[in-house]
Amino acid sequence: MRIFAFETYEEMSRHAAAVMAAEVRENPRTVLGLATGSTPLGMYAELGRMCRAGEISFRDVTTVNLDEYYGLTPDHEMSYRYFMEKNFFSLIDILPENTHLPDGTAPSPAMECQRYDRLIDSVGGIGMQLLGIGHDGHIGFNEPADQFVPGTNYVRLTEDTIRANARFFASEADVPRYALTTGIRAIMQAKKILMVVNGAAKAEILCRALFGPITPQVPASILLLHPNVTVCGEAPAMAMIREKFPTAIEK
Ligand code: PGA
């Protein structure tokens, strides 16, 4: 695992964008596992700038997103499909047919989970998986639980996640209670993992995730078993790691 700390969010975003850009340049047909949330916004904007400047192309790239709220249509402003179109896909030259998210309107969540796992397999698995981390240690919407769930699954969001995501909605009551999320298997089978983290509120959970113990109560802790993880963190999110494990940080 490589852990990098940056003084500003902009620096962190630029570095994370450079890591993803290197993946796309090395493997123009790579499959990117993508994430929503506020953390990757700067990185997506930077990749958009690079694409407009002709420094990178996503023409042959395929993307599979981690998760989607259940019950929201793709054109709903709070759906993750809408988020991705607005904050990333519209900024780059990716082909719309190569972008995939779970379908939050599928009548049967169970069948949609199976379809999404087959889709990930059919594109050859994930080359680089981008992850944020939730305040409760979730990755995707894999919430703290008694066991890790391997496949794409239909989950009830925790109260913590509902509260955290309420900032994007008119009120907490409007946050969907259920979501579809890629499971731990597809994430762990990604060849490379890139995690982005900012904000002092993530400092403790990030430290618990990256230094163990490995437990489904901190879903991101499973990443300790992955052979190729890069973590890009803004300084406040790195505070506890800096204090407890200073030599683990490369920059
Ligand atoms: P955030 O979400 O980037 O909005 O903090 C991260 C996550 O919940 O995975």
Side-chain angles (χ1 to χ4, degrees):
M1 182 173 297
R2 305 193 66 183
I3 306 176
F4 298 93
F6 301 92
E7 287 314 309
T8 66
Y9 174 76
E10 289 70 27
E11 257 186 274
M12 177 198 85
S13 300
R14 273 199 303 277
H15 187 85
V19 172
M20 187 165 275
E23 164 70 10
V24 172
R25 288 199 192 98
E26 275 165 36
N27 307 296
R29 304 182 63 81
T30 191
V31 177
L32 299 176
L34 297 180
T36 52
S38 52
T39 314
L41 284 173
M43 170 186 169
Y44 286 154
E46 171 64 6
L47 287 166
R49 186 202 62 72
M50 293 169 89
C51 193
R52 276 194 307 282
E55 296 169 19
I56 185 177
S57 172
F58 292 82
R59 212 178 315 270
D60 296 321
V61 168
T62 297
T63 64
V64 287
N65 261 77
L66 280 169
D67 45 17
E68 177 62 283
Y69 287 118
Y70 189 68
L72 298 191
T73 56
D75 59 352
H76 189 290
E77 284 189 19
M78 290 302 140
S79 77
Y80 284 169
R81 165 58 77 176
Y82 188 95
F83 176 101
M84 291 307 299
E85 295 292 342
K86 178 171 168 218
N87 295 303
F88 194 37
F89 299 151
S90 62
L91 313 181
I92 59 174
D93 59 348
I94 196 158
L95 302 178
E97 60 270 31
N98 291 346
T99 66
H100 306 282
L101 283 89
D103 178 359
T105 64
S108 159
M111 283 177 67
E112 176 57 10
C113 291
Q114 287 176 19
R115 180 195 74 85
Y116 206 63
D117 278 337
R118 280 197 304 269
L119 182 133
I120 295 172
D121 287 344
S122 74
V123 296
I126 296 166
M128 176 173 280
Q129 175 68 58
L130 173 67
L131 294 174
I133 182 171
H135 295 95
D136 58 3
H138 70 210
I139 43 177
F141 274 134
N142 292 282
E143 301 282 27
D146 291 336
Q147 55 183 26
F148 292 107
V149 181
T152 299
N153 56 108
Y154 176 62
V155 288
R156 191 177 204 296
L157 304 182
T158 60
E159 290 309 312
D160 189 73
T161 297
I162 291 166
R163 252 193 322 276
N165 290 4
R167 68 192 196 277
F168 301 115
F169 290 81
S171 79
E172 201 169 303
D174 293 325
V175 182
R177 268 37 187 176
Y178 291 89
L180 299 163
T181 182
T182 311
I184 295 298
R185 182 177 53 224
I187 294 173
M188 288 299 283
Q189 285 179 345
K191 292 191 185 74
K192 299 172 194 161
I193 305 264
L194 170 61
M195 176 174 267
V196 286
V197 198
N198 73 324
K202 300 274 178 75
E204 185 187 343
I205 195 68
L206 184 66
C207 188
R208 287 173 62 203
L210 302 189
F211 293 89
I214 297 168
T215 164
Q217 294 299 337
V218 182
S221 64
I222 194 78
L223 299 176
L224 279 167
L225 298 179
H226 193 284
N228 190 329
V229 179
T230 302
V231 180
C232 295
E234 183 208 23
M238 289 293 178
M240 189 171 284
I241 296 177
R242 244 186 195 147
E243 189 188 316
K244 293 193 171 177
F245 307 99
T247 56
I249 301 176
E250 291 192 31
K251 181 182 177 304

